[in-house]
């Protein structure tokens, strides 16, 4: 809803956006474990140095500063629970879309586009490779 100023007042969107990045960080040991599970390598096998304090934390991921070939880079890691939480939200949204369409609930047709956009956006947010290509 934070990204839906067409549906709710901008002030509410701003308040909801603030909640997206006020998430307690996970510890560096968890970051090391996530990186190794995803890449099959240890952080320090890939990077010359990794700062152990996160640069940023948000609802889906967390960012660390590292150095690769002498250059400062960012490492973005997905929170361990992010995929299951987002997948659950997508399932509920998809179910609502199906119900509205199947039962032809015309007064709720206005919800179809925002819900469909949320579903698409959520899937893209979980795909950090998509984000890398987009960047």
């Amino acid at each position: 809803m934070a990204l839906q100023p067409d549906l709710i007042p901008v002030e509410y969107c701003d308040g909801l956006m603030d909640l997206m990045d006020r998430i307690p960080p996970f510890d560096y040991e968890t970051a090391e474990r996530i990186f190794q599970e995803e890449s099959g390598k240890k952080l320090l096998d890939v990077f010359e140095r990794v700062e152990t304090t996160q640069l940023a934390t948000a609802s889906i991921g967390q960012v660390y500063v590292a150095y690769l070939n002498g250059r400062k880079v960012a490492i973005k890691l997905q929170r361990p629970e992010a995929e299951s939480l987002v997948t659950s939200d997508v399932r509920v949204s998809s179910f609502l879309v199906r119900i509205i369409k199947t039962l032809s609930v015309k007064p709720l047709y206005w919800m179809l586009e925002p819900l469909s956009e949320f579903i698409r956006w959520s899937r893209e947010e979980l795909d950090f490779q998509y984000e890398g290509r987009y960047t």
Side-chain angles (χ1 to χ4, degrees), residues 24-38:
F26 52 82
D27 57 38
Y28 181 73
E29 290 75 23
T30 301
E32 288 179 308
R33 180 180 52 76
I34 292 168
F35 186 85
Q36 188 162 2
E37 287 172 1
E38 292 293 323

Side-chain angles (χ1 to χ4, degrees), residues 34-105:
I34 292 168
F35 186 85
Q36 188 162 2
E37 287 172 1
E38 292 293 323
S39 70
K41 299 177 182 179
K42 294 182 178 184
L43 279 166
L44 293 176
D45 290 343
V46 176
F47 301 96
E48 296 147 17
R49 182 168 60 99
V50 179
E51 294 182 8
T52 59
T53 302
Q54 71 283 347
L55 175 66
T57 187
S59 58
I60 293 178
Q62 190 158 294
V63 178
Y64 288 86
V65 172
Y67 295 85
L68 180 65
N69 301 323
R71 294 181 56 198
K72 188 176 183 180
V73 298
I75 303 170
K76 185 173 182 181
L77 301 169
Q78 195 169 99
R79 288 184 165 280
E81 69 281 359
E83 187 169 0
S84 63
L85 292 173
V86 171
T87 300
S88 175
D89 291 345
V90 166
R91 277 194 202 117
V92 169
S93 298
S94 298
F95 178 72
L96 288 172
V97 166
R98 283 194 309 277
I99 292 288
I100 292 168
K101 287 180 175 181
T102 302
L103 298 177
S104 298
V105 186

